[in-house]
Amino acid sequence: MKTTRTVQKILANYEGETPGVKAKLAGMLMNGKLGGTGKMIILPVDQGFEHGPARSFAPNPAGYDPHYHYQLAVDAGLSAYAAPLGMIEAGADTFAGQIPTILKVNSANSLIPDAAPKTQAITATVDDALRLGCSAIGFTIYPGSSAALNMFSDIAEMRKEAAAKGIATVIWSYPRGEALDKDGETAIDIAAYAAQIAGLLGAHIIKIKLSTDHLSLPEAKKVYQSEKIDISTQASRVRHCVNSALGGRRLTVFSGGAAKGADAVYDDARAIRDGGGNGSIIGRNSFQRERSDALAMLNKLVDIYRGKA
């Protein structure tokens, strides 16, 4: 596999990283229809753990089968497929070498009482990722939760082990918890902070949500206003979050969120592209659609990230 200059430039930002990690990042960046462009589309299927099977897969019952998601990611020419241990194990042999995989190593569920601190249990290991041939581990943190510091400590240790064994780390940085109201979870100052935290924890790929123009923290609001930071459009907010990811030196991709109309998905992708983001991690908006519709939508997203739509 010969890497493009674009990919080589991205990898050069990971100074001091092990060759194994860089090889795994290169494998994802060079895979699929966006291979070599520096853009990525990743299929995440951890929603069964997070929301339950019916909420996740009943809209498209084929999705109950883990092989469906592997095949969708392969046929759509995506950069990687991310899922918890059981789903990766259920297709790791059949699809070995066909699509880079990301093992989601922690998870929550919707049965936990609302009053409990927002956190996730560690449900897989770095050695599981090695055994299954994964390119990366994926780990969720909840900045804003009273349990966040423990999550930071957990991923710091797992990231260290993964890097030593040549496995990359993807951090889902999702603001949530007692310190934030609903508007705060997607506020631009909080989203940028979440990107910064993930970068400082050593994430090789940072996953955050698209933000609103709401400013949550009074002290941050003063700076945004005094420094005239542009947060007026989705593209400008993406640009600010990318800059917060260590000056754009870390791959930053954005969540697709809850199921919505195709036009809204395309508008999000254009904003990510125009703001300098590296792509989308898009789950429910792909696998909850009938397969042919999902493939058509994912093909359109590839065209958008290639600047053709």
Side-chain angles (χ1 to χ4, degrees):
M1 177 184 66
K2 184 177 180 180
T3 55
T4 62
R5 289 186 178 181
T6 296
V7 171
Q8 291 169 8
K9 185 176 179 181
I10 290 171
L11 295 177
N13 288 327
Y14 293 84
E15 299 181 40
E17 197 45 86
T18 64
V21 167
K22 286 192 173 186
K24 295 298 195 298
L25 291 173
M28 289 186 280
L29 286 164
M30 292 301 299
N31 193 72
K33 295 177 180 178
L34 288 172
T37 66
K39 303 298 184 185
M40 310 176 78
I41 300 176
I42 298 170
L43 174 67
V45 191
D46 57 344
Q47 292 81 0
F49 221 140
E50 301 291 329
H51 306 299
R55 287 174 60 190
S56 301
F57 306 126
N60 177 23
Y64 283 104
D65 183 354
H67 280 215
Y68 176 84
H69 304 287
Y70 269 103
Q71 196 66 61
L72 179 63
V74 170
D75 292 346
L78 302 188
S79 307
Y81 164 57
L85 180 63
M87 293 196 78
I88 294 288
E89 283 189 328
D93 183 56
T94 299
F95 293 92
Q98 296 186 46
I99 182 78
T101 51
I102 300 166
L103 177 61
K104 189 69 167 54
V105 295
N106 71 337
S107 294
N109 66 83
S110 59
L111 301 178
I112 297 171
D114 290 339
K118 301 301 181 185
T119 190
Q120 296 209 351
I122 295 175
T123 55
T125 68
V126 174
D127 282 341
D128 286 325
L130 278 173
R131 171 174 59 87
L132 295 166
C134 298
S135 298
I137 59 168
F139 193 99
T140 296
I141 58 172
Y142 290 145
S145 169
S146 60
L149 297 184
N150 289 334
M151 302 181 84
F152 297 172
S153 297
D154 287 342
I155 186 51
E157 286 301 312
M158 292 192 78
R159 188 263 184 212
K160 179 181 177 181
E161 180 188 357
K165 294 177 177 179
I167 301 283
T169 294
V170 185
I171 293 183
W172 277 238
S173 194
Y174 282 1
R176 187 174 300 171
E178 302 92 326
L180 300 171
D181 59 18
K182 200 66 178 174
D183 289 337
E185 291 181 2
T186 53
I188 179 57
D189 58 323
I190 304 297
Y193 202 167
Q196 172 82 179
I197 289 170
L200 295 177
L201 285 169
H204 301 107
I205 301 175
I206 297 167
K207 178 189 178 187
I208 58 174
K209 295 180 180 180
L210 288 167
S211 60
T212 67
D213 62 1
H214 177 66
L215 292 166
S216 181
L217 301 175
E219 292 304 313
K221 185 174 183 178
K222 294 176 185 177
V223 176
Y224 277 80
Q225 293 174 340
S226 66
E227 299 301 324
K228 297 181 172 57
I229 299 173
D230 183 10
I231 56 171
S232 60
T233 65
Q234 189 63 264
S236 66
R237 295 191 291 274
V238 166
R239 188 173 298 109
H240 178 57
C241 288
V242 169
N243 197 36
S244 298
L246 307 189
R249 289 180 176 271
R250 292 297 177 265
L251 291 160
T252 306
V253 295
F254 293 81
S255 169
K260 53 194 170 188
D263 288 343
V265 174
Y266 302 147
D267 287 344
D268 286 348
R270 292 186 184 98
I272 295 166
R273 176 198 65 194
D274 295 346
N278 294 101
S280 301
I281 295 191
I282 181 164
R284 284 170 288 178
N285 279 295
S286 54
F287 68 72
Q288 287 188 344
R289 285 176 161 80
E290 193 273 334
R291 177 182 157 83
S292 61
D293 292 340
L295 288 171
M297 187 191 72
L298 291 166
N299 280 332
K300 178 72 175 288
L301 290 176
V302 168
D303 287 343
I304 289 171
Y305 281 123
R306 284 187 169 274
K308 298 179 179 179

